[in-house]
Amino acid sequence: MNYLDMLTKLGEASAHPGGFKATAALLKKRRLPKGSHVLEVGCGAGRTACFLARQGYQVTAVDQSADMLEKAQRRAAKAGLDIRFLKADAESLPFDNESFDMVFVESVTVFTKADISLGEYWRVLKKDGRLYDREIVLFGNPGEKARRRIQRFYGIRTLLPLPEWIKLLKSNRYAGSKTVVVKRTIPFITELDQQRESDPGSILDPELLQIAVKNYRMLVRYRKHLGYAVFTGKKEDASR
Ligand SMILES: C[S@@+](CC[C@H](N)C(=O)[O-])C[C@H]1O[C@@H](n2cnc3c(N)ncnc32)[C@H](O)[C@@H]1O
């Protein structure tokens, strides 16, 4: 079992830094007109996708995990929300160019080769479409060994400081790339989620508990080095 398996078994539906509270705060201000087509990449157990649908957006949500998608689908069905869910890889999205008005991502790009996934998000955005991506950011220098340890435990492929993220967005042609939120620590969040669907017995699984404890220890140990930011950028010129 790895970190992502643990999240899946627990049905963790706001498995990103800042939790659901941070998502709601970011989306409180209407970003787009109702009916706009939003793609959520790496939707996990679907809490954010449901929130976006409740805001009146037309939502397509993808994840690479069939188990997560099943939980997300059930959550949406119980809420009577019409969301299109698909199993897909962020690095190779099964959509035509210029399909979406917004691409929304929370703690997913770090698990991918970011140069490729950011390029995919750009490709499927319509002209003037916007990316919002909340990702883990490295602060200071924890040393190479610690960096590798963090990447190995979480299964993270991209662990970068802020300026490197912005460089990556710019090289992927996002105009006006900037950070709209920057937090220098990742709070440990246990949120009430009444729709949570944990696998039966998972909470007592010793292997899972071991990973949960290690996660807590990692967040404490590297609290000065692991923070997060929300990156945004616009697809201004689709012709280039
Ligand atoms: C930390 S969880 C975040 C889930 C959700 N965004 C949330 O905030 O609750 C990361 C999610 O990204 C998905 N994921 C990881 N790599 C992916 C990829 N290459 N393509 C699509 N989904 C991916 C995992 O299956 C998992 O559901």
Side-chain angles (χ1 to χ4, degrees):
M1 193 187 305
N2 60 30
Y3 174 73
L4 285 180
D5 295 333
M6 176 195 76
L7 296 181
T8 307
K9 284 178 186 296
L10 290 176
E12 195 57 68
S14 289
H16 53 264
F20 184 69
K21 227 168 136 183
T23 306
L26 182 67
L27 292 170
K28 198 167 73 182
K29 184 174 147 215
R30 175 162 293 288
R31 303 277 169 188
L32 291 172
K34 280 190 178 183
S36 301
H37 201 169
V38 178
L39 171 67
E40 193 196 356
V41 180
C43 63
R47 194 173 183 184
T48 296
C50 289
F51 188 79
L52 286 161
R54 282 199 189 91
Q55 286 196 317
Y57 298 127
Q58 187 189 337
V59 181
T60 298
V62 301
D63 201 284
Q64 70 172 8
S65 157
D67 290 342
M68 274 296 205
L69 279 171
E70 246 182 62
K71 292 186 182 195
Q73 259 159 338
R74 278 201 293 271
R75 177 185 290 260
K78 277 186 196 158
L81 295 167
D82 183 17
I83 297 172
R84 178 165 66 137
F85 289 102
L86 285 173
K87 186 170 182 305
D89 182 352
E91 292 179 16
S92 170
L93 293 169
F95 307 111
D96 290 339
N97 297 352
E98 299 182 39
S99 297
F100 299 97
D101 300 292
M102 189 203 291
V103 172
F104 198 82
V105 195
E106 293 177 303
S107 198
V108 179
T109 308
V110 287
F111 294 99
T112 69
K113 288 185 195 148
D115 202 24
I116 296 179
S117 46
L118 286 170
E120 275 297 87
Y121 309 159
W122 190 91
R123 181 183 67 74
V124 301
L125 273 174
K126 292 181 190 168
K127 184 174 177 304
D128 293 328
R130 197 169 263 284
L131 168 73
Y132 287 90
D133 190 353
R134 178 190 308 275
E135 297 296 339
I136 291 173
V137 169
L138 190 67
F139 288 96
N141 183 5
E144 211 29 59
K145 205 168 150 197
R147 200 172 162 153
R148 276 204 301 275
R149 198 165 178 213
I150 294 165
Q151 293 200 230
R152 201 177 326 117
F153 174 68
Y154 289 106
I156 285 176
R157 302 186 83 160
T158 301
L159 182 59
L160 298 172
L162 270 179
E164 293 295 318
W165 273 109
I166 293 292
K167 227 192 255 175
L168 210 51
L169 284 156
K170 286 192 173 142
S171 70
N172 273 286
R173 299 184 278 178
Y174 290 94
S177 321
K178 58 177 185 183
T179 49
V180 288
V181 176
V182 181
K183 300 276 183 199
R184 294 184 69 98
T185 53
I186 297 182
F188 191 79
I189 292 177
T190 43
E191 283 176 334
L192 184 66
D193 172 11
Q194 284 170 342
Q195 268 75 49
R196 177 195 285 268
E197 261 196 47
S198 303
D199 288 358
S202 56
I203 201 75
L204 298 173
D205 179 340
E207 205 187 339
L208 185 146
L209 285 173
Q210 223 175 14
I211 295 175
V213 169
K214 186 147 185 208
N215 174 40
Y216 181 74
R217 287 205 178 123
M218 296 285 279
L219 290 180
V220 172
R221 182 165 186 181
Y222 297 113
R223 64 190 177 282
K224 290 198 182 122
H225 296 291
L226 294 179
Y228 68 95
V230 177
F231 302 104
T232 178
K234 199 168 164 189
K235 178 168 177 171
E236 264 181 6
D237 186 353
S239 65
R240 273 184 294 157

